[in-house]
Amino acid sequence: MPGSPRTKLTVLLAAFAAAGGLWAPTGAAATEKTAETATAGKPAHRVTYDRYSMMVDGRRVLLWSGEFHYFRLPSPDLWRDVLEKIKAAGFNGVSLYFHWGYHSPAPGVYDFTGVRDVDRLLRMTEEAGLYVVARPGPYINAETTGGGFPAWLKNVPGRARSSDPGYTRAYREWLSHINPIIARHQLTRGGSVIAYNAENEYAANTDAAYMQDVQKQARAAGIDVPITHNQCCDASWTPTWASGQGAVQIPGVDDYPQAFECREPDVWGTWGEGVTERLSDDAPVYAAEYQAGAIDGNKAGCEGCRELTGPNFMKVYYKSNLITSGATMFGYYMSFGGTNWGRLAQPNDVYTSYDYGAAITENRQLTGKYDEFKRQGLFTTTVAPLTKTDPAAAPSSDDAAVHTEARANPDTRTQFVLVRHPDRKTDADASADLTWNAPDGTYKVPVRVKGRDAKVLVAGYDMGGQRLAVSSSELLTHTTAGGRDVAVLYGTEDVPGMTVLRYTSKPTVKVLDGDVRSTYDGNGNLQLDYDHRGLARVLITGGGRRPLLLLLGTEAEAAKFWKSGDLLVRGGTLVRSAKITGNTVHLRADTDRATDVEVFTNASRMTVNGAPVPTRNTSDRTVIGRVPGPAKVRLPELTGWRTASEAPEAAPGFDDRTWTVADRTTTVSPIKPKTLPVLYADDYGYHHGHVWYRGRFTATGEESEVRLNAITGKGGIYQVWLNGRYLGSAAGGEQKDSDAPINPDPGPGNFTVPSGLLKKGETAVLSVLVENMGHNDDWTAEDTRQKQPRGLVGASVAGAGPIAWKIQGTAKTDRVRGPLNNGGLYGERTGRHLPGFADRSWTPASPAARQVGPGVTWFRSGFRLDLPKGHDVPLTLRFGGGNGAEHRVLIYVNGWNLGEYVTGGPQRDFTLPAGILRQRGANTLALAVVAEGQATVGPISLNAVAAHRGGVPVNDVPSPGRTS
Ligand code: IPT
């Protein structure tokens, strides 16, 4: 994504439209496509599709998946936590990017162990019962450094995302590592992968031979599930990869109708109507990436993004996709965003947090958006006729303020009616009577759309052993347990609802709870009238059908339900799973307070997370367990701090003999340096974090000014010393948008040489510390963005002769934590960030009590945690405002770089994931403060975001200490 996505996108869209590049249907005949079936060990499944939906073993599947980035959560056991939360929200799938650069520090070097163990990730998806859309790029965008490209690709000649030979060798190398892992986890081999996405939003500067080869590589590695693509931005872009060379089997569309202005969460639809269009006549409609959060490009904070893409938006837009477009495949971007730990961020768009305003927060907490996902997800994955629908005549509305659209299943004739305002953005309160020609007769159905809202109503549905004729309430889910059906319907609070069920004779209606009137018309119609208020319970028996327990609730009540297999559960903060053995229900559940959890089954005993809880049975044959809340949590104060300043590189006498000589005169980068030699960090193999430069020259005594240019990526700075004297800092430049002219003077910094500092004939040393904030992406596939250099792009001293340069970045890649973890600060090169570093000789002082000067200062503290077992207590590190000059702080916990605090930035709370954090044991916190002048940092504290009894067991992630 570009920095100003809206402008960028508009410009590109206009260009495509002008070029006559609007999408046109191919008119290909509808056929059922069969993916090749392979077998191995586990039971293999057949994956097919037609124009309506995907199918597994011939059974139609509505793929309701959420995007998840394992690389943004460096604690594999927490992957399971998030996957289980995704599953419990009613999703049946996850969409997973695989990040080339995360696995590859250098050409030919790949790592799939530890936090990079994607084989384990895919096993977990199988265990969680989630289908996977595997998206290995090679390019992924995702607001991550290089858009997922390894930084070493910057040194590979030839245009990325094309069939250029240099790039081809590189991406085939990546695919040769990742494809076999994905292949062995396909459904066709008993795994979870249902589809494989080739490339990513490959819509500008395209090369069909490349697109074709990416797929050829996949097939050669044994990928036999359907290949998909996520078409950029809406269906108006070309190519769509629906036909011709490079075409995929299931072309999909990405859509972000709300765009990314999180400062104005009430402004809807800035990027359009957001209705996913059909790209192929013989494949399902696929909303490949549908907006489920937003990039916080203007630093409004994630709550603004959550509001912009909140429950009302979800109702109106997601339900339109179901009915207006008949989509049966969805990937919601993001379900959980995570953290740009280390140097994962692409600096133009994001900072450390990638919370994204998603349904599950960066600290893995459930939000109102999660509730809405659950309401929609339980419905879409329960009601099978939704997997095959055609447009149908909609009920007529007697008031134009209420708009209707419909689809129907051609086999079952079940109807689905979208009810909304004609203008989706309006927040009016509109009512109408619908005249509904439903499969079981014509009904008059009063409906009301209150505020920004949309509903999908169902008619003519065989609901277990029941027949739902029509309802003005929405269907959450239903199940059959102990010989009876249980169904949950819901609607807007205080708004009347009406449901008609069909019987062969008059049934017996018993209202167990709430206020529900019933009438039987003698023609098989049992009509129930009620207001949506709390949760009403109605038991209907006789009438020629098995018993039905009908639950009629508000939206809030509906969100309290969970479904695990056939079991329906109500209450608790999270129910991960429920199963029944004999007379006992076993729940895996989280609670943030003592609460009742009700299971709609006739059991009498209950265990929660393995421990029995007191239960009582209700008259409506359910069991209620009393589940304890969390134990009290105590967090330590951060004390025992020690501090030491660094930056010896600034001193003239510093020994840089082992540093790399920077003397290149050519570069692969399309951006040419202002002065020679080339000083681009990547050209010397230093790809992440800080780099140091030391330049020597023989002084003339006439030097007047140091003139520098540096590209840091957005938000970075660099600092300058001459003969050990601090000259100051400057903002690093950026080279951002592809269509912007190349900036001829990026990140300029001119520093006056203090008189008398340099003596004629003596060697002078210029030391420069430049931060690399991350690499640009390449979303328009023109290569110049991602190859934009980092580091110095120009350096001269007015009045001086030539300068001989040396450069030093990351000393060596951390084998466990990976290439993005640490850069080239002195302290990083010497292990000050690692557990076990001997800091006893350092000065005792806490950050808040110690003023730091310009340059780099480290603080270290150790703290013990003793969090209660069987609990999930997500912690953050919180920064108080600090004082003085601008400063930034790299946060190392047990040697892992968990983010960068920047004064004036949008983020003060930094997620410390369990696993990296020893929940019961000793932890090391190390902070590298890079200040532009005199400053005080903090105060800094540990903060518990929540406390839940439950969670998943989290093992400590290996965090080796200093070894040399
Ligand atoms: C689309 C990308 O495919 C995805 O990787 C991510 O960058 C997402 O957007 C935004 O967060 S790009 C589309 C909005 C033009």
Side-chain angles (χ1 to χ4, degrees):
M1 279 299 305
S4 52
R6 207 189 311 175
T7 330
K8 174 79 211 171
L9 199 74
T10 316
V11 169
L12 279 167
L13 279 172
F16 271 99
L22 292 174
W23 168 78
T26 59
T31 47
E32 184 181 323
K33 298 282 164 110
T34 308
E36 197 186 305
T37 303
T39 46
K42 290 177 273 180
H45 300 281
R46 210 159 53 92
V47 181
T48 57
Y49 64 93
D50 64 8
R51 76 186 308 275
Y52 293 109
S53 74
M54 296 195 81
M55 285 164 271
V56 176
D57 297 330
R59 265 186 69 183
R60 292 193 179 279
V61 169
L62 188 144
L63 181 67
W64 189 256
S65 78
E67 180 86 21
F68 169 62
H69 297 161
Y70 65 91
F71 46 88
R72 286 183 158 124
L73 184 55
S75 179
D77 288 316
L78 291 183
W79 297 344
R80 186 188 303 281
D81 177 56
V82 172
L83 293 173
E84 288 181 353
K85 283 171 175 161
I86 289 173
K87 174 78 177 181
F91 287 104
N92 60 6
V94 280
S95 186
L96 304 175
Y97 273 143
F98 295 86
H99 190 305
W100 180 2
Y102 191 68
H103 297 273
S104 181
V109 183
Y110 287 82
D111 177 17
F112 294 94
T113 63
V115 300
R116 295 173 173 69
D117 186 350
V118 292
D119 194 86
R120 185 170 173 200
L121 170 72
L122 290 168
R123 282 200 306 277
M124 285 185 190
T125 60
E126 283 162 36
E127 286 155 14
L130 290 163
Y131 295 125
V132 170
V133 178
R135 309 204 302 153
Y139 180 75
I140 61 170
N141 206 56
E143 292 77 65
T144 188
T145 183
F149 282 155
W152 56 258
L153 192 69
K154 293 171 84 169
N155 299 335
V156 173
R159 183 155 74 82
R161 307 179 79 189
S162 81
S163 43
D164 183 280
Y167 174 67
T168 301
R169 258 192 309 280
Y171 80 76
R172 283 187 182 166
E173 183 184 283
W174 159 242
L175 293 180
S176 78
H177 284 90
I178 193 67
N179 280 341
I181 301 175
I182 295 170
R184 64 175 177 261
H185 287 281
Q186 293 175 101
L187 268 166
T188 50
R189 298 189 194 173
S192 53
V193 175
I194 194 170
Y196 178 101
N197 197 80
E199 248 285 342
N200 188 81
E201 296 196 325
Y202 193 45
N205 301 307
T206 54
D207 176 337
Y210 161 59
M211 189 61 183
Q212 191 174 37
D213 188 62
V214 170
Q215 296 172 64
K216 203 175 129 204
Q217 299 305 312
R219 293 301 188 211
I223 300 292
D224 54 20
V225 293
I227 294 185
T228 65
H229 179 70
N230 56 323
Q231 171 59 31
C232 185
C233 316
D234 63 31
S236 69
W237 289 62
T238 53
T240 61
W241 307 112
S243 61
Q245 189 188 14
V248 298
Q249 289 173 292
I250 306 180
V253 180
D254 289 355
D255 218 321
Y256 293 79
Q258 300 289 65
F260 305 97
E261 183 47 277
C262 301
R263 293 175 304 186
E264 291 176 353
D266 288 336
V267 180
W268 273 27
T270 38
W271 275 13
E273 285 296 287
V275 176
T276 301
E277 285 171 53
R278 175 173 284 284
L279 294 182
S280 163
D281 276 341
D282 56 4
V285 178
Y286 179 21
E289 272 178 35
Y290 204 85
Q291 183 163 21
I295 306 163
D296 184 20
N298 290 320
K299 317 284 187 266
C302 57
E303 290 312 322
C305 299
R306 204 156 359 254
E307 209 180 316
L308 177 71
T309 57
N312 295 351
F313 157 76
M314 296 166 71
K315 289 176 193 169
V316 175
Y317 283 76
Y318 299 178
K319 291 177 185 179
S320 296
N321 264 339
L322 280 174
I323 306 306
T324 309
S325 71
T328 57
M329 293 174 67
F330 301 85
Y332 288 102
Y333 192 104
M334 302 289 305
S335 59
F336 163 84
T339 306
N340 290 310
W341 69 276
R343 295 293 179 170
L344 265 177
Q346 172 267 82
N348 294 317
D349 294 312
V350 292
Y351 42 96
T352 297
S353 173
Y354 197 71
D355 178 278
Y356 212 77
I360 303 171
T361 69
E362 186 182 3
N363 291 304
R364 299 175 289 102
Q365 302 303 295
L366 313 184
T367 65
K369 290 181 63 175
Y370 185 91
D371 290 347
E372 182 55 28
F373 265 126
K374 196 155 51 136
R375 284 186 287 260
Q376 295 191 32
L378 290 182
F379 169 67
T380 55
T381 56
T382 301
V383 182
L386 202 49
T387 54
K388 183 181 179 186
T389 60
D390 292 314
S396 65
S397 161
D398 70 356
D399 191 321
V402 174
H403 169 83
T404 58
E405 277 174 57
R407 299 185 79 82
N409 183 300
D411 306 327
T412 66
R413 297 177 57 230
T414 307
Q415 295 178 359
F416 300 94
V417 175
L418 177 71
V419 178
R420 61 167 173 84
H421 296 122
D423 170 2
R424 299 191 297 176
K425 294 170 201 162
T426 180
D427 60 1
D429 184 352
S431 299
D433 278 339
L434 306 184
T435 305
W436 190 335
N437 294 318
D440 298 292
T442 300
Y443 298 90
K444 201 163 247 356
V445 180
V447 291
R448 182 163 160 199
V449 187
K450 201 174 162 190
R452 284 171 156 174
D453 194 7
K455 299 173 188 303
V456 175
L457 307 182
V458 183
Y461 175 50
D462 289 324
M463 188 171 70
Q466 315 297 323
R467 177 73 176 176
L468 178 66
V470 78
S471 179
S472 69
S473 301
E474 294 190 272
L475 178 58
L476 178 76
T477 189
H478 60 89
T479 189
T480 307
R484 73 172 186 191
D485 292 315
V486 183
V488 186
L489 294 169
Y490 69 96
T492 310
E493 180 154 28
D494 290 334
V495 166
M498 167 231 180
T499 296
V500 179
L501 296 156
R502 300 280 301 162
Y503 292 91
T504 49
S505 59
K506 187 175 182 201
T508 306
V509 179
K510 194 170 161 200
V511 178
L512 305 169
D513 210 347
D515 183 10
V516 179
R517 282 103 36 219
S518 67
T519 45
Y520 185 70
D521 71 357
N523 275 327
N525 292 310
L526 174 73
Q527 179 169 333
L528 304 172
D529 289 284
Y530 46 90
D531 286 341
H532 295 104
R533 197 166 292 148
L535 185 71
R537 299 175 185 234
V538 185
L539 184 64
I540 306 169
T541 50
R545 296 188 185 273
R546 64 184 179 218
L548 168 68
L549 177 64
L550 187 62
L551 306 167
L552 303 160
T554 57
E555 288 179 1
E557 284 295 328
K560 292 183 185 163
F561 285 89
W562 309 91
K563 199 171 172 214
S564 178
D566 286 339
L567 283 180
L568 191 64
V569 183
R570 177 174 172 267
T573 315
L574 167 72
V575 175
R576 296 170 188 271
S577 71
K579 54 174 204 264
I580 184 156
T581 51
N583 207 13
T584 309
V585 189
H586 303 278
L587 299 183
R588 291 179 53 240
D590 293 16
T591 48
D592 60 3
R593 74 195 72 130
T595 184
D596 284 351
V597 175
E598 180 176 18
V599 184
F600 291 78
T601 184
N602 217 0
S604 60
R605 278 194 256 267
M606 192 185 290
T607 71
V608 176
N609 305 326
V613 298
T615 56
R616 63 192 153 93
N617 283 95
T618 66
S619 55
D620 33 324
R621 289 168 59 211
T622 70
V623 60
I624 295 179
R626 185 72 191 160
V627 186
K632 208 166 165 47
V633 171
R634 248 182 234 102
L635 294 182
E637 299 279 314
L638 295 174
T639 56
W641 289 97
R642 289 183 179 267
T643 185
S645 60
E646 57 143 88
E649 298 91 340
F654 178 79
D655 181 357
D656 60 14
R657 272 175 301 182
T658 60
W659 286 25
T660 306
V661 174
D663 58 358
R664 295 183 180 219
T665 53
T666 59
T667 178
V668 164
S669 175
I671 293 170
K672 299 307 167 197
K674 285 186 75 170
T675 58
L676 288 175
V678 176
L679 294 173
Y680 302 169
D682 294 290
D683 291 40
Y684 298 96
Y686 300 123
H687 298 305
H688 304 288
H690 288 88
V691 281
W692 273 101
Y693 296 89
R694 283 171 53 89
R696 282 191 180 73
F697 57 95
T698 307
T700 60
E702 303 294 312
E703 287 82 358
S704 56
E705 196 177 51
V706 175
R707 295 177 184 159
L708 301 173
N709 285 93
I711 301 182
T712 55
K714 192 172 173 184
I717 59 150
Y718 62 101
Q719 297 185 287
V720 186
W721 290 259
L722 184 59
N723 274 359
R725 176 90 62 94
Y726 182 61
L727 299 188
S729 66
E734 349 163 13
Q735 293 280 1
K736 200 171 58 176
D737 282 328
S738 49
D739 53 355
I742 284 180
N743 181 355
D745 192 27
N750 296 330
F751 305 89
T752 305
V753 175
S755 62
L757 183 63
L758 303 185
K759 305 256 164 2
K760 183 176 176 175
E762 288 184 1
T763 300
V765 180
L766 180 61
S767 301
V768 187
L769 174 63
V770 185
E771 183 169 14
N772 172 358
M773 300 301 289
H775 299 277
N776 287 359
D777 60 35
D778 189 34
W779 85 291
T780 47
E782 90 277 50
D783 201 46
T784 50
R785 285 160 63 81
Q786 69 100 8
K787 281 211 174 86
Q788 282 163 11
R790 292 292 182 260
L792 289 177
V793 297
S796 62
V797 179
I803 308 174
W805 286 98
K806 285 195 152 184
I807 181 172
Q808 177 65 56
T810 313
K812 60 175 192 282
T813 298
D814 186 316
R815 292 288 293 270
V816 171
R817 301 175 182 92
L820 300 164
N821 190 65
N822 41 276
L825 291 178
Y826 179 80
E828 292 174 305
R829 304 199 310 272
T830 52
R832 288 185 175 192
H833 60 299
L834 294 173
F837 177 85
D839 57 16
R840 275 179 301 276
S841 60
W842 290 15
T843 311
S846 77
R850 174 105 175 167
Q851 196 173 56
V852 301
V856 187
T857 306
W858 286 80
F859 290 91
R860 285 174 57 92
S861 157
F863 61 93
R864 285 193 73 83
L865 288 178
D866 189 17
L867 299 175
K869 277 206 176 120
H871 280 64
D872 184 359
V873 184
L875 299 188
T876 61
L877 192 68
R878 176 166 288 175
F879 282 76
N883 272 307
E886 298 283 294
H887 54 272
R888 41 198 67 223
V889 183
L890 295 178
I891 302 161
Y892 282 100
V893 174
N894 298 327
W896 296 78
N897 175 352
L898 294 182
E900 181 171 15
Y901 166 77
V902 182
T903 43
Q907 194 176 355
R908 285 179 176 282
D909 280 281
F910 290 80
T911 297
L912 312 180
I916 296 295
L917 211 52
R918 276 85 184 98
Q919 299 182 91
R920 283 167 291 283
N923 292 280
T924 303
L925 175 61
L927 305 176
V929 181
V930 181
E932 293 179 67
Q934 304 292 328
T936 314
V937 181
I940 293 163
S941 57
L942 288 173
N943 166 55
V945 175
H948 297 274
R949 187 179 289 275
V952 296
V954 178
N955 292 297
D956 292 345
V957 176
S959 298
R962 192 158 176 261
T963 50
S964 57

